[in-house]
Amino acid sequence: MTLDHPIFTRWPAQYPDRLQLFSAPTPNGVKVGIMLEETSLAYEQHRIDIMADESHAPAFLALNPNGKIPAIYDPDGPNGTSLALFESGAILLYLADKTGQFISAELSLETVLPGSFGYDEFWATLYGFPYASSPNLTVTTKAQQLLIFLLATL
């Protein structure tokens, strides 16, 4: 299996069939690693040196345009397609839904308000509405994107 994403030019995967975690040993950075350990999902960790500004390297920005850790690349995402995801809350929710652990049976990705936890790009792709990925999005732009989603689905 070959992973086709720019992130792997800088941080190659030794185990391309595993979920790939890009993070750093910070309070926010370890949350996803803890979740992966608790759910027993196979993963490969890539340390991002935020002090050396690696989170703003072009390869990392291709994975997370916000330039923040953590981020993941799941080669076995929804419907068997790969998924790049960032923002710790979005990742934790995704992993809970993927494994069926640490989440109520009444909750799932479909029942949580789309756009929350930085999950906007996933929902935009899923429902086919425009998404502008930029670290400089204003609150107004984000609100407009959420409104477009709500109007399209109600």
Side-chain angles (χ1 to χ4, degrees):
M1 170 185 275
T2 304
L3 300 177
D4 186 28
H5 192 282
I7 191 77
F8 299 111
T9 60
R10 172 66 176 81
W11 291 277
Q14 287 185 292
Y15 305 98
D17 57 325
R18 297 181 184 177
L19 188 141
Q20 304 292 309
L21 169 62
F22 301 87
S23 196
T26 67
N28 196 46
V30 299
K31 292 175 188 176
V32 174
I34 292 170
M35 180 68 152
L36 288 165
E37 289 292 325
E38 290 296 323
T39 58
S40 299
L41 281 171
Y43 71 100
E44 179 177 354
Q45 184 168 342
H46 304 273
R47 183 177 178 158
I48 306 301
D49 188 346
I50 57 176
M51 298 307 289
D53 210 26
E54 287 183 341
S55 61
H56 290 95
F60 188 82
L61 291 173
L63 182 65
N64 180 357
N66 294 332
K68 296 180 181 178
I69 53 105
I72 64 168
Y73 182 91
D74 187 357
D76 185 32
N79 302 317
T81 62
S82 61
L83 175 70
L85 191 59
F86 52 92
E87 297 291 337
S88 58
I91 297 168
L92 293 172
L93 183 59
Y94 170 75
L95 295 174
D97 193 65
K98 180 180 177 92
T99 62
Q101 298 178 51
F102 304 104
I103 192 167
S104 168
E106 290 82 38
L107 291 179
S108 70
L109 295 178
E110 291 79 19
T111 61
V112 175
L113 181 62
S116 60
F117 305 116
Y119 225 47
D120 333 28
E121 185 173 11
F122 174 79
W123 290 103
T125 303
L126 186 66
Y127 289 103
F129 67 87
Y131 174 78
S133 178
S134 167
N136 300 318
L137 289 179
T138 64
V139 171
T140 303
T141 305
K142 290 293 222 182
Q144 289 170 338
Q145 289 176 347
L146 186 54
L147 183 58
I148 289 168
F149 170 81
L150 290 172
L151 292 173
T153 57
L154 292 179

